[in-house]
Amino acid sequence: MSEAAQVSNPLQGVPAHIRSILSRLHCLSSEQEEALEGKGADDFPGLTFDDVMRDKFIALEEDKSQYVYQLCRAINAKTIVEAGTSFGVSTIYLALAATANAAATGGQARIIATENEPTKAVKAREHWRECGDEISGVIELREGDLRETLKENLENVDFLLLDIWCPMALPTLQVVQPKLRYGAVVVTDNTIGAIELYKDLLAYIRDPDSDFINATLPFHKGLEVSVYLPKTK
Ligand SMILES: C[S@@+](CC[C@H](N)C(=O)[O-])C[C@H]1O[C@@H](n2cnc3c(N)ncnc32)[C@H](O)[C@@H]1O
């Protein structure tokens, strides 16, 4: 076997400068998460959860992000909603996939990103600009509470990434669900690690009458992949 054939290549074709930005951002995110490991509210007296998280990436891990990229390529996703953008790392993967899909099969790439923390939105835009127009030009960042910002101007959604604080996941899905196309894919992060906090979402998508079929993939802390197959559409 050649050397090249011995390593997987999920991002083949992605420009080197963008891969290098992604590696850098994932490193920064991992360092922050390691520093938070084992800490609880008592370690941050006087600070709210949002205060502590304000300067944190909490980016989707690199292997999960690469898998999400592949999934978006596989289903030819061009209209993608990202619930929870933070500093915009996973958004870059979504934009790469939608842009490549549009280039290959026509149509427009459209990423609807969401963030309610203004300082995070500023940083996300900086990262996208650094990647170039191919990325920044296809992302529409909706600032504010996504339960409001996703209500309008959304249709034919191919892919939804639920990478948001757990209690927000089900309300978000319920806002976006009427806009999902038949066969759309929803990915939810940490459904093993945060199984208790996702109780309502998991009960909803796994209900025998639900319009979703679901699988929990064995990534770190789990990654739920759900396919939307409504009976009436
Ligand atoms: C886990 S982080 C997202 C990480 C991002 N997907 C990435 O991989 O780089 C979740 C983000 O959701 C944002 N958020 C939480 N509640 C929100 C809400 N109601 N509306 C919009 N954004 C929200 C938080 O500020 C946080 O930045």
Side-chain angles (χ1 to χ4, degrees):
M1 209 192 309
S2 73
E3 253 181 60
Q6 290 175 39
V7 283
S8 67
N9 58 352
L11 298 185
Q12 181 156 301
V14 169
H17 82 280
I18 298 183
R19 286 202 230 181
S20 123
I21 292 167
L22 288 170
S23 299
R24 188 187 87 224
L25 299 180
H26 280 298
C27 278
L28 291 170
S29 182
S30 303
E31 280 169 21
Q32 287 183 334
E33 290 201 41
E34 276 160 30
L36 281 176
E37 200 76 35
K39 295 213 166 110
D42 292 348
D43 296 293
F44 303 98
L47 296 182
T48 64
F49 178 75
D50 285 340
D51 290 336
V52 176
M53 289 301 156
R54 193 158 293 124
D55 65 343
K56 307 292 185 300
F57 279 80
I58 319 289
L60 193 68
E61 292 100 312
E62 192 164 21
D63 57 349
K64 292 177 181 173
S65 299
Q66 292 178 349
Y67 177 70
V68 160
Y69 171 82
Q70 280 202 308
L71 209 44
C72 288
R73 295 303 311 272
I75 65 161
N76 199 17
K78 294 173 201 166
T79 301
I80 299 178
V81 175
E82 179 184 60
T85 289
S86 188
F87 294 155
V89 181
S90 51
T91 335
I92 296 172
Y93 290 88
L94 300 175
L96 282 166
T99 305
N101 288 335
T105 64
Q108 294 280 320
R110 184 179 183 216
I111 311 302
I112 297 103
T114 55
E115 182 50 58
N116 66 350
E117 174 53 55
T119 56
K120 287 192 150 191
V122 169
K123 201 88 192 147
R125 287 198 172 95
E126 276 174 25
H127 294 147
W128 301 335
R129 263 196 305 276
E130 193 184 343
C131 290
D133 289 347
E134 183 195 358
I135 299 303
S136 59
V138 297
I139 302 169
E140 170 193 336
L141 177 57
R142 298 191 182 180
E143 292 190 53
D145 188 330
L146 79 179
R147 289 167 296 182
E148 290 304 318
T149 62
L150 289 177
K151 276 185 179 162
E152 305 291 334
N153 195 14
L154 206 60
E155 57 193 25
N156 216 17
V157 173
D158 299 302
F159 189 93
L160 167 65
L161 176 61
L162 287 174
D163 189 20
I164 186 83
W165 308 151
C166 302
M168 218 56 71
L170 179 57
T172 305
L173 178 61
Q174 288 173 326
V175 171
V176 178
Q177 185 172 336
K179 316 295 168 122
L180 294 177
R181 62 123 154 126
Y182 184 87
V185 172
V186 178
V187 165
T188 311
D189 190 29
N190 281 341
T191 49
I192 295 174
I195 191 164
E196 282 301 311
L197 295 172
Y198 275 131
K199 253 187 191 154
D200 59 349
L201 174 87
L202 296 176
Y204 179 78
I205 59 177
R206 293 175 182 171
D207 186 282
D209 290 330
S210 133
D211 285 329
F212 294 93
I213 55 171
N214 312 281
T216 310
L217 303 191
F219 284 94
H220 179 61
K221 296 190 180 174
L223 190 75
E224 197 78 6
V225 176
S226 309
V227 183
Y228 182 55
L229 301 171
K231 292 148 196 90
T232 51
K233 268 193 185 173

